Amino acid sequence: MEQMRTYTTEEMIQVVKWAAQECEWQDSGEMSVPGMVTAYLYTHDLLLDGGGLGVGVIKLLGSLVEPDLNPFDRFRGVDVTVGGNLKMPHSQVVAAISSLLRNGDDLEPVDWFREFENIHPFRDGNGRVGNILFNWLSGTLSPRYLQFPPNLWNDPRREDVAEPDGGHDVPTRSDY
């Protein structure tokens, strides 16, 4: 990857506000905002440099958002429960993520996001990584177009989340 892009003050304010809101909804604490911002900047620069989404990128994003819980070189090694629901066994995560990446081109961004969240590849930080990936796949990763994924699980904290297109024109690759 080339040298990191320079962001304007306005762009950074937008990114930090977006990350802070997601971290608030996730109850991950104020100290998790810098990790999500770092993961966003890495992903945005990767997209601008023409990079692709792969298993290694997803593992790195998990580590950037939760470095104490998610080693950079692997997915979760334990089973997890979210909202009282046991997620898929940890032994199936690598195959499920690989399948999603292989077959995900046929899915709409919201369906890809749903599958990613159901796989839940990390001990923590799945919603934050999923949000970044949702924006990548939606074509809204630019700071001026960032949005939140739809509230698929009827989380009352997210009642005011806009629909996926957020009421604006979705950018083309040339907008980046």
Side-chain angles (χ1 to χ4, degrees):
M1 186 166 53
E2 301 293 322
Q3 186 176 15
M4 279 188 87
R5 177 177 179 265
T6 302
Y7 293 85
T8 67
T9 301
E10 293 78 22
E11 287 174 325
M12 285 308 300
I13 289 170
Q14 182 65 30
V15 170
V16 170
K17 284 182 177 180
W18 167 79
Q21 180 61 69
E22 183 65 31
C23 292
E24 180 181 324
W25 284 332
Q26 295 286 328
D27 289 327
S28 60
E30 294 172 353
M31 296 306 293
S32 65
V33 174
M36 185 169 179
V37 169
T38 301
Y40 165 81
L41 294 174
Y42 171 82
T43 307
H44 189 242
D45 287 349
L46 181 65
L47 179 65
L48 291 174
D49 289 342
L53 184 58
V55 171
V57 170
I58 294 174
K59 287 178 183 177
L60 178 60
L61 294 177
S63 178
L64 290 172
V65 300
E66 278 293 342
D68 294 334
L69 294 175
N70 302 327
F72 76 93
D73 61 345
R74 60 185 172 271
F75 293 120
R76 65 180 163 90
V78 297
D79 292 340
V80 295
T81 302
V82 178
N85 297 316
L86 182 64
K87 294 298 182 178
M88 77 170 44
H90 70 277
S91 60
Q92 297 175 5
V93 167
V94 172
I97 287 289
S98 296
S99 176
L100 180 60
L101 288 168
R102 205 172 35 255
N103 303 314
D105 289 345
D106 296 333
L107 298 175
E108 292 295 320
V110 67
D111 296 321
W112 200 101
F113 170 76
R114 179 185 291 112
E115 288 300 313
F116 178 83
E117 294 299 323
N118 284 332
I119 294 168
H120 228 74
F122 305 111
R123 289 180 61 191
D124 198 9
N126 296 281
R128 286 168 273 159
V129 172
N131 188 334
I132 292 168
L133 297 175
F134 175 78
N135 277 281
W136 173 317
L137 296 166
S138 297
T140 56
L141 201 59
S142 172
R144 65 182 172 179
Y145 293 112
L146 284 171
Q147 58 184 328
F148 299 103
N151 187 3
L152 299 175
W153 293 273
N154 299 317
D155 184 338
R157 297 171 295 186
R158 295 176 179 263
E159 287 177 354
D160 295 329
V161 174
E163 289 302 311
D165 73 47
H168 54 66
D169 294 329
V170 175
T172 63
R173 191 165 184 92
S174 64
D175 289 325
Y176 291 100

